[in-house]
Amino acid sequence: NIAINQFTQVTTYPVGLGAKQGEMTLFGTDGMGSLIAGTFHSAPKETTRVMIKKLDDYIDVISNAKHKIEMMKIDVEGAELNLLKGGTQFFEKIKPAFLLMEIVKYWSGGINPDFEETLRLLCSLGYEIYEIAYPLKKEKPLRRIQNINEAKNGGYLLVHKGFESEIKNLVS
């Protein structure tokens, strides 16, 4: 995507992000990959060893960048909790206003045991949870989740406290 879109101010790091540094197995099937083997409909077709770092390891790099991070898309196929645990200092210091995440309660391989804990951690980091309507509605595509038990499978926009007014016209 970087080359196709001719981005020039992008730096990539060939690592996975997790709760702690080390090495893990990345399971792959049909162009998809996950550090959690049970996220797929079928058994993984390939595996690769991947170096894992914590998002917190990049605070200095990001703090010294020219531009502030206002929005992050996090799509880590079941490893959301591990990424967040390795990035608590990052989220406390950098405080991106918006996070776009897909967090599923049910994988094809069963229940995501980290679903509620992931949402609780996001709330403790100062984020309000908004469920994105599917199929996407033109008017008011977001629904505020007041109680984690109301959350379902799907896409979420997480808004850091203080930025709620930026999306008020999108909430049903």
Side-chain angles (χ1 to χ4, degrees), residues 128-146:
E128 304 285 337
I129 304 169
Y130 293 86
E131 189 174 70
I132 301 170
Y134 183 82
L136 191 61
K137 296 188 251 179
K138 289 183 182 180
E139 305 246 347
K140 312 267 184 199
L142 301 176
R143 179 177 72 96
R144 170 83 166 84
I145 301 296
Q146 300 287 345

Side-chain angles (χ1 to χ4, degrees), residues 24-28 32-36 40 44 46-50:
M24 293 183 76
T25 299
L26 178 68
F27 300 94
M32 298 279 295
S34 177
L35 295 172
I36 313 294
F40 301 112
E46 57 192 30
T47 60
T48 304
R49 295 297 288 171
V50 178

Side-chain angles (χ1 to χ4, degrees), residues 27-29 32-44 77 107-110:
F27 300 94
T29 297
M32 298 279 295
S34 177
L35 295 172
I36 313 294
T39 59
F40 301 112
H41 294 287
S42 59
E77 300 298 329
W107 294 324
S108 57

Side-chain angles (χ1 to χ4, degrees), residues 100-161:
L100 183 61
M101 297 179 73
E102 178 188 41
I103 309 170
V104 296
K105 195 173 204 172
Y106 303 101
W107 294 324
S108 57
I111 294 174
N112 175 354
D114 299 329
F115 181 76
E116 290 183 7
E117 187 178 351
T118 300
L119 295 178
R120 272 194 218 83
L121 180 54
L122 286 161
C123 290
S124 75
L125 292 169
Y127 288 91
E128 304 285 337
I129 304 169
Y130 293 86
E131 189 174 70
I132 301 170
Y134 183 82
L136 191 61
K137 296 188 251 179
K138 289 183 182 180
E139 305 246 347
K140 312 267 184 199
L142 301 176
R143 179 177 72 96
R144 170 83 166 84
I145 301 296
Q146 300 287 345
N147 183 324
I148 289 173
N149 295 330
E150 299 171 15
K152 301 175 185 169
N153 262 6
Y156 296 93
L157 179 65
L158 298 122
V159 180
H160 202 275
K161 290 179 182 169

